[in-house]
Every structure is written in structure tokens, then in C-alpha cells.
Amino acid sequence: MLRGDLHFHSLYSDGELTPIELVKRLKEKNIDIACLTDHDTILGSEEFIKACSKEGIMTFPSLELSTYMNEEPIHVLAYFKSLDSIPSKFREHLNDMKIKRYERMKALVDNVNKIYGLGIDFKDVEKLQPNMLERPHLAKIIMEKCGCTQKEVYEKYLGNDNPAFIPSTRMSTKDGVDLIHEAGGLAILAHPYQYKKNNPLDLMEFGLDGIEVYYFPASPKGYKIYKKYCEKHNLIITGGSDFHRELDMKHAYIGSGEFTSPFIEKFIEKVESL
């Protein structure tokens, strides 16, 4: 029986490990297929693919695309047949998002300083990540400055419903799905269990190809609901740990998900047919 993990992050976005370090851990977990899904970037893909090839782990280029619906961030996992198949127009969009994330982080720092008087220096945040600045980087600086936990940082300063919050994009979920399809990729709804202002099943009308059914810390009841929906509509079922770092209490450890056969085989078939 094949085992897979199709959702985790490296230091090219908000993770802490290199692509090579991730592959080492996947090998230790006896994972057969794995996909690196950094936020809005494929900068680590080539390095990851080469490392997987050496270890006999199957992989496809992939990422987690940021979209926005009903005042809530919605993430869409994108999977492609090969790096060469990803068109320049899509790559240009990703580069534009990188620039916008940099400007967004400047604005976030300004917000927490003006609203809460934290006195954060943007240069301290910038030093943490040369590739893609994200909220966890600012959260780390706030944790060190205020002596609070990551959970407390998001509750007090950086949560989606907090006055300092700024979304990473205003692109609608439908536009995001269309963008992935135009680029020749598969679009999968990430972690449906996290959304509070959107019904995940309503989002499926935008043409999503499947759902990340197997996701920590969802309950078996949650699995059943989305698994049944996918099977009824002949959609792809995926799963992933959403691993970011060691000792991460919010996400599962890399390679520890429940994504196995026969869903893996269907996923591979769909990607290879692109």
C-alpha cells in the first residue's frame, strides 16, 4: 500500500527546513509520494524534486495558492505534471505575489506598531526570510519581544479577524482556480476544516478538482463528509500533514498523515494525464 504526504512547507515560504531536510524526513517515514506546497512559490521545487529522485520518492511540482472569499483567506493546492509545463504567465503571477507579500509585511508591521505600540523594526522581520515574507515571521519577532506564545500572538495581534490583519491577496477563489487550470494544473481545496466564513462544499462550484480530505487535526466525521462528497462527484481525494517545523503543535509531523491507496493512485493518474 502506497503512503503519501501532499502538503507541507519549506523555508522557501513559512517552513523552517530546507527541501533536502524535508526529503530526509520523508524517507525516514517511508513515504512513497510527496509534494512540497510552499505558499505562492515554486522556488524550492527543483531542489526538492532532485532530492526526491535520489531517494526514490515520487513527486510533482506544487504550491499552495492564496485566494480570498467573504473576508476569509482560502487556500488552493496546485499540482502540475512537470516544472517545464508551468507557463511563464503563472510564474509571473507568483513573482508578483512575492513582491506584494513584501509590501504587505511592511504594512502589517506598521499596523501592529500603530495599533499596539509594539515598536517592531521591519528589518528584523526581513532578516528572517529572503524569499517569501509571511505572518509566522512577524509572529516570531513579536513572540521574542513580548514573551508570548504563537497562539497568543495570533489571538492578540495577527489573527484573521484582528484589526491589524491584512490578507496576502484579494484574488477570489474562483479566479485562483481558473488561474491554476489555465496553467495546466489541478486545483485542490486545502484544509476544508479550517474555514469559518465559507462553506467548503459551496466553494466546489468554482471548478475545484478535489478536496484535501485527510488533514490533521480533522475528525473521522469530517473525513467522512468530504470523502463521501468527492466519491459522489468523482473528485480527487488528497491528504497532507501541512508540516511547517519541528515541535509544531498546530500541524502534523511530516509524513504522518493518513493519505494512502487507493486515493494515491487516482491522484497520480490525474496529474500524469494533464
Side-chain angles (χ1 to χ4, degrees), residues 1 12 18 24 30 59 77 91 93 117 141 148 157 170 173 178 208 218-219 222 242-243 250 265 273:
M1 181 173 67
Y12 283 94
T18 67
K24 180 181 178 181
N30 297 313
T59 187
L77 296 163
R91 293 172 184 268
H93 174 80
I141 298 297
C148 53
Y157 309 112
R170 286 284 179 179
T173 301
D178 289 345
L208 285 148
S219 67
D242 202 0
F243 174 78
K250 184 179 179 181
E265 285 85 349
S273 67

Side-chain angles (χ1 to χ4, degrees), residues 108-120 142 145-146 153-159 161-165:
L108 274 174
V109 171
D110 285 343
N111 279 358
V112 295
N113 286 338
K114 290 176 181 177
I115 297 172
Y116 304 108
L118 295 185
I120 302 295
I142 296 176
K145 189 176 185 66
C146 301
V153 168
Y154 280 91
E155 287 176 347
K156 295 180 180 180
Y157 309 112
L158 297 179
D161 296 322
N162 191 277
F165 174 71

